[in-house]
Amino acid sequence: MAAARDEISDAAFRLFGIQGYATTSVDDIASEAGVSRSTFFRSFGSKEAVIFPDHDELLARIEERLRSSPSDAGLAAVTDAVKIVLFHYVAEGERARERYGLTSTVPALRERELVSGARYQRLFRRYLSHWADASPEAELRAEMTAAAVVAAHNRVLRRWLRRECTDPQREIEQALAAVHRTFADESEASIGMLVVPAGVPASAVEKAVKRALEGVAVRNLDQ
Amino acid sequence: MAAARDEISDAAFRLFGIQGYATTSVDDIASEAGVSRSTFFRSFGSKEAVIFPDHDELLARIEERLRSSPSDAGLAAVTDAVKIVLFHYVAEGERARERYGLTSTVPALRERELVSGARYQRLFRRYLSHWADASPEAELRAEMTAAAVVAAHNRVLRRWLRRECTDPQREIEQALAAVHRTFADESEASIGMLVVPAGVPASAVEKAVKRALEGVAVRNLDQ
DNA sequence: CAATGAATGAGACTAAGTGTCATGCGGCAT
DNA sequence: ATGCCGCATGACACTTAGTCTCATTCATTG
């Protein structure tokens, strides 16, 4: 049973909420949970880790999800994966918000969270650059794309944690659509070409082009 | 004089290089530097901080650079700022590579580096979203842009640290050009126009266009 | 019932980081 | 020169995170 883990984690959040993070020692948590210091450190490697209980498991799930996705999936697989992460946190509900309260307050915990975000980003980058060709441009692009996906996730999650957002599903779709729009695979992009008969004045061409692009822009901004 | 700081930092790198990071205690560093443990912790707040001596100063310099940039500078100011950071590390030379050896090996130091990268990203995001309008789309865009700039920096720096790159100047320009291409403000974007005399076969036009675009702006065409 | 092995508890130990107090050293005014 | 003051350093004690070792307990299995 992993009930011991949950017991300890609950005790930790309880005490952190009352006394604050810095002023509760691991001994406090252990005795509150009714276990020994030893079992605390066996269950969670550190005091910080007790805040993020199922992180490794989630990361492993995401990796599995990406590993099993077809090699032509590209960005779509990664955006799917990041949605899994977001909804995991949303499903936690108030517990996630308690954690946010702590990570907002305690620098060490904020850093820890940042680090785990970077783990996802690294994973995404690896898969994206694995799917693409091996050119330096493609690798930079993969890195930027991974960063953008994580940024989109972070943004929506933060808004949800702050109750600034009631429909995370819709917002993450919108945000990831923006990512898709700016990072969709080049193979989908076509080269625009404009053929102009000789004698047509440049001003007329410019007007026509602007009008044409205006339509495109409007269509793109709509989801 | 901040000579004491340099003395301590040098001693630390020396010992880390010989005995490794985990196995050298702060006492070792202090006695190697000929100071007391107290002065060590007064100079650097922690054992990790001794690896990144002038981080705060650099961050402050960047912030100053951004603060004093005109409000219409936008992305250009941020890319300038990140170039300052890159060249700062490049100017460190071998010391930067020693640090890379440590951050590649010791997880705690890698995390620390990650955190400071995030500090830059946060700074960039703040300025980018301050310059843009306050719409949610603009804020997401600012977040993605900041992430992309940092990703570009990280990529070039890492390549330089690994000696995979002999001309960081050129590579950062290229990488940031890619960022500009995908994130440049629409107001700065110019409309490309191609005027073709009647009678020229489309295949010839396509060939010429592809040749012209080769290596340059492969990406902005779908916006 | 006996043996084994995994989980737990107890406790010692190292080292990071904090705080306090004393000391010493250079500048400065009288 | 003398006494004073501010500041950097050193010495030292203390808390706490994290590691390691060993003993104990308890459940499972032969």
Side-chain angles (χ1 to χ4, degrees):
Chain A
M1 242 66 69
R5 268 180 71 92
D6 293 350
E7 190 77 26
I8 295 172
S9 185
D10 288 349
F13 272 94
R14 219 177 306 139
L15 291 182
F16 290 160
I18 299 172
Q19 325 174 350
Y21 179 79
T23 51
T24 67
S25 68
V26 172
D27 293 87
D28 293 342
I29 302 170
S31 68
E32 169 82 9
V35 299
S36 77
R37 223 176 84 95
S38 298
T39 41
F40 177 92
F41 279 110
R42 258 186 287 255
S43 304
F44 307 90
S46 72
K47 182 184 174 185
E48 293 171 3
V50 79
I51 311 289
F52 313 94
D54 34 26
H55 206 246
D56 290 335
E57 185 225 338
L58 183 57
L59 194 74
R61 220 165 75 211
I62 297 303
E63 180 149 20
E64 186 49 39
R65 171 77 178 74
L66 288 177
R67 194 199 314 279
S68 68
S69 70
S71 64
D72 62 339
L75 181 51
V78 170
T79 53
D80 271 10
V82 87
K83 275 190 272 185
I84 295 178
V85 178
L86 177 73
F87 293 136
H88 172 87
Y89 288 124
V90 169
E92 278 190 321
E94 280 314 305
R95 170 55 56 99
R97 291 212 170 92
E98 290 178 53
R99 184 184 305 120
Y100 180 62
L102 289 170
T103 55
S104 310
T105 306
V106 183
L109 297 179
R110 168 183 287 272
E111 293 177 4
R112 176 84 176 208
E113 198 180 36
L114 229 123
V115 167
S116 55
R119 299 245 294 272
Y120 289 108
Q121 185 168 328
R122 182 186 166 83
L123 186 62
F124 294 161
R125 169 174 64 83
R126 232 176 35 221
Y127 274 85
L128 285 171
S129 72
H130 176 259
W131 283 325
D133 60 289
S135 70
E137 299 84 22
E139 286 189 5
L140 172 59
R141 184 188 182 73
E143 193 142 4
M144 282 172 29
T145 308
V149 170
V150 171
H153 164 275
N154 287 347
R155 169 159 194 81
V156 177
L157 178 58
R158 204 183 317 138
R159 283 177 51 81
W160 179 80
L161 288 169
R162 292 178 181 166
R163 304 180 199 274
E164 294 170 1
C165 144
T166 54
D167 190 350
Q169 166 86 45
R170 208 178 56 90
E171 288 208 11
I172 191 65
E173 296 292 356
Q174 282 191 348
L176 290 177
V179 175
H180 261 93
R181 243 176 285 134
T182 82
F183 286 106
D185 198 306
E186 288 151 16
S187 63
E188 303 167 16
S190 56
I191 292 179
M193 190 178 303
L194 179 67
V195 179
V196 182
V200 173
S203 62
V205 176
E206 182 182 352
K207 232 170 115 180
V209 168
K210 277 185 176 169
R211 198 168 52 233
L213 288 181
E214 209 171 322
V216 171
V218 166
R219 222 186 314 141
N220 265 356
L221 287 177
D222 271 345
Q223 270 119 66
Chain B
M1 240 62 73
R5 268 180 71 92
D6 294 349
E7 189 77 27
I8 295 172
S9 185
D10 288 348
F13 272 95
R14 219 176 307 137
L15 291 182
F16 291 160
I18 300 173
Q19 325 173 353
Y21 179 80
T23 50
T24 67
S25 68
V26 171
D27 294 86
D28 293 342
I29 302 171
S31 67
E32 169 83 9
V35 299
S36 77
R37 222 176 86 95
S38 297
T39 43
F40 177 92
F41 280 110
R42 259 187 286 256
S43 303
F44 308 89
S46 72
K47 181 183 175 186
E48 293 171 3
V50 80
I51 310 289
F52 313 94
D54 34 28
H55 225 168
D56 291 335
E57 185 224 339
L58 183 55
L59 193 74
R61 221 166 75 211
I62 297 303
E63 179 149 21
E64 187 48 40
R65 171 77 178 75
L66 289 177
R67 194 199 315 279
S68 67
S69 71
S71 64
D72 62 339
L75 180 51
V78 170
T79 53
D80 271 9
V82 88
K83 274 190 271 182
I84 295 179
V85 178
L86 177 73
F87 294 136
H88 172 87
Y89 288 124
V90 169
E92 279 190 321
E94 279 316 303
R95 170 54 56 97
R97 292 212 170 92
E98 289 178 52
R99 185 184 304 120
Y100 179 63
L102 289 171
T103 55
S104 309
T105 306
V106 184
L109 296 179
R110 169 182 287 271
E111 294 177 5
R112 176 84 178 207
E113 198 181 36
L114 228 121
V115 167
S116 55
R119 299 246 294 272
Y120 288 108
Q121 185 168 326
R122 180 186 167 83
L123 187 61
F124 293 161
R125 169 173 64 83
R126 228 171 44 217
Y127 275 84
L128 286 171
S129 71
H130 176 256
W131 283 325
D133 59 289
S135 70
E137 298 85 22
E139 286 189 6
L140 173 58
R141 184 187 184 76
E143 193 142 4
M144 280 171 32
T145 308
V149 170
V150 171
H153 165 275
N154 287 347
R155 167 155 195 84
V156 176
L157 178 58
R158 202 182 319 138
R159 282 178 51 83
W160 178 80
L161 289 168
R162 293 178 182 166
R163 304 178 199 275
E164 295 168 0
C165 143
T166 54
D167 191 351
Q169 167 85 46
R170 208 177 56 89
E171 288 208 11
I172 191 66
E173 296 292 355
Q174 283 191 348
L176 290 178
V179 174
H180 260 94
R181 247 174 282 134
T182 84
F183 286 106
D185 198 315
E186 286 144 17
S187 64
E188 304 169 16
S190 57
I191 293 177
M193 192 178 301
L194 179 66
V195 179
V196 182
V200 174
S203 63
V205 176
E206 182 181 356
K207 232 170 114 182
V209 168
K210 279 188 173 167
R211 198 169 53 232
L213 291 181
E214 208 172 330
V216 197
V218 194
R219 254 232 82 251
N220 209 16
L221 298 173
D222 56 356
Q223 298 224 337

